[in-house]
Amino acid sequence: MNTLDPDNIRQPISGALGARLEILEVFEEIESTNSYLLDQPAPPPGRFRVALADYQTAGRGRLNRTWQSPPSSGLCLSMAYTFRQMRVKLPGLTLALGIGVIDALRRLDISGIRLKWPNDIIAHGGKLGGILTEACQGARKNLTVVTGIGLNVDLPDAMQVLEKPTLTNKIVDLKDCTNDPPSREKLSVAVIESLFDCMVRFESDGFASFHGDWKKVDWLFGRQIIVDQTDGRCAGIADGVDDDGALIVRTDQDRRHVINGSITLRDDLDDIA
Ligand code: BT5
């Protein structure tokens, strides 16, 4: 697979979208595109900046987990966006951006992709990608958010993740989803377009406007799950999300709204415990 050509990504980003782009950088190798953008000056409100890498030496997932993507095998893309005013709650943003990634893939003729709350991109019952959303420290009136998308495009056959997966042992790439995966450059452009649209829509309408879309792609809905949170573990049935994007879990005792947590399928627990 070829390395990334910045011109093939920058040039198609034109019109209103291009006008809002502060800077787009493509690295052959970097620790983490999210870490990089978190260290850079925040874009002015309503504007965004993008960092992409062919290879990350220290790609990050949630909760200090790692994201592994061998050179040239996937998309490692981060976008920093500054919200003009943060009236809405943030947890739903990752969900909304996941819907954006699905939309980008659909425009590239890749369908059947689902989302597992809060940040996993799922295809064929395995993990195709993940999303890491982080707020910049020190933000006050305006809030700058860095969101990173990792998507497997064409992984080496022998690839194994070092850390035990939290969801499923299966790792999926776009080659499993289509005979003709798009180039990573095309994929980058589509993802950037969709992420920006979602940021703007989320800024004006919050997660509530994505709620209907979420229901169509909610991979956990109706499944027996285990929820691990800092204050303990509970078991129940996933019952969709609320208007803030919190996961609703029906336990034997109550209906809980979970804002932070790691989800395991009850059936998989024996495999990965
Ligand atoms: C995520 O975390 O899934 C978020 C991944 C975000 C990666 C992007 S790449 C661009 C930007 N820069 C960064 O440094 N990060 C973002 P989480 O839900 O915590 O999942 C991490 C877990 O997924 C790991 O502990 C492994 O079990 C598994 N994993 C690691 N690499 C994988 C891969 N390529 N495909 C599938 N699963 C993987």
Side-chain angles (χ1 to χ4, degrees):
M1 188 168 272
N2 299 325
T3 51
L4 294 165
D5 182 341
D7 288 344
N8 289 342
I9 302 170
R10 182 63 187 84
Q11 271 164 13
I13 300 176
S14 55
L17 179 68
R20 302 268 211 111
L21 174 59
E22 277 289 286
I23 177 167
L24 181 149
E25 293 164 283
V26 179
F27 300 92
E28 212 168 302
E29 186 177 304
I30 197 171
E31 275 189 21
S32 149
T33 51
N34 257 40
S35 304
Y36 174 74
L37 284 186
L38 286 168
D39 283 345
Q40 297 306 302
R47 299 178 63 83
F48 69 105
R49 73 187 276 167
V50 174
L52 284 134
D54 189 59
Y55 176 55
Q56 297 183 124
T57 53
R60 296 190 290 112
R62 296 167 65 224
L63 310 168
N64 291 323
R65 297 194 282 247
T66 56
W67 182 255
Q68 292 169 242
S69 187
S72 308
S73 69
L75 187 73
C76 302
L77 180 156
S78 297
M79 176 183 286
Y81 179 78
T82 301
F83 290 92
R84 288 193 175 87
Q85 233 182 17
M86 212 49 232
R87 284 169 289 122
V88 280
K89 297 180 186 165
L90 264 186
L93 180 62
T94 297
L95 279 54
L97 295 171
I99 290 166
V101 173
I102 290 198
D103 187 53
L105 291 171
R106 202 177 285 134
R107 285 187 283 119
L108 295 167
D109 291 328
I110 299 166
S111 54
I113 313 296
R114 314 282 289 279
L115 296 171
K116 183 211 146 223
W117 187 96
N119 72 317
D120 287 324
I121 302 167
I122 304 288
H124 302 291
K127 184 154 169 168
L128 174 70
I131 303 170
L132 176 66
T133 306
E134 299 174 292
C136 284
Q137 294 293 323
R140 294 217 176 124
K141 186 162 157 270
N142 300 316
L143 177 65
T144 301
V145 166
V146 172
T147 197
I149 310 294
L151 257 185
N152 301 325
V153 177
D154 186 356
L155 294 175
D157 290 340
M159 159 123 176
Q160 283 185 341
V161 285
L162 301 172
E163 293 165 17
K164 286 195 171 184
T166 49
L167 152 74
T168 155
N169 294 319
K170 213 167 134 192
I171 296 182
V172 170
D173 63 15
L174 282 181
K175 267 195 327 183
D176 296 315
C177 306
T178 167
N179 293 328
D180 189 17
S183 69
R184 289 181 304 149
E185 288 143 352
K186 268 194 178 161
L187 190 59
S188 303
V189 174
V191 168
I192 291 166
E193 288 168 347
S194 287
L195 290 182
F196 180 75
D197 283 353
C198 289
M199 296 281 194
V200 172
R201 189 170 144 202
F202 189 87
E203 184 168 37
S204 66
D205 303 329
F207 178 73
S209 78
F210 292 88
H211 204 158
D213 297 323
W214 177 265
K215 285 184 185 160
K216 294 181 202 152
V217 298
D218 181 353
W219 188 73
L220 282 181
F221 185 81
R223 293 181 195 255
Q224 302 254 13
I225 57 169
I226 310 286
V227 184
D228 282 304
Q229 294 178 281
T230 42
D231 59 351
R233 167 176 276 201
C234 77
I237 295 175
D239 201 12
V241 298
D242 66 20
D243 262 356
D244 290 330
L247 177 70
I248 302 172
V249 184
R250 250 188 303 130
T251 71
D252 287 343
Q253 296 81 38
D254 52 20
R255 265 165 72 86
R256 293 186 192 180
H257 292 236
V258 176
I259 294 171
N260 279 310
S262 288
I263 312 298
T264 311
L265 291 188
R266 206 160 177 168
D267 290 347
D268 283 350
L269 198 58
D270 290 344
D271 295 341
I272 66 175

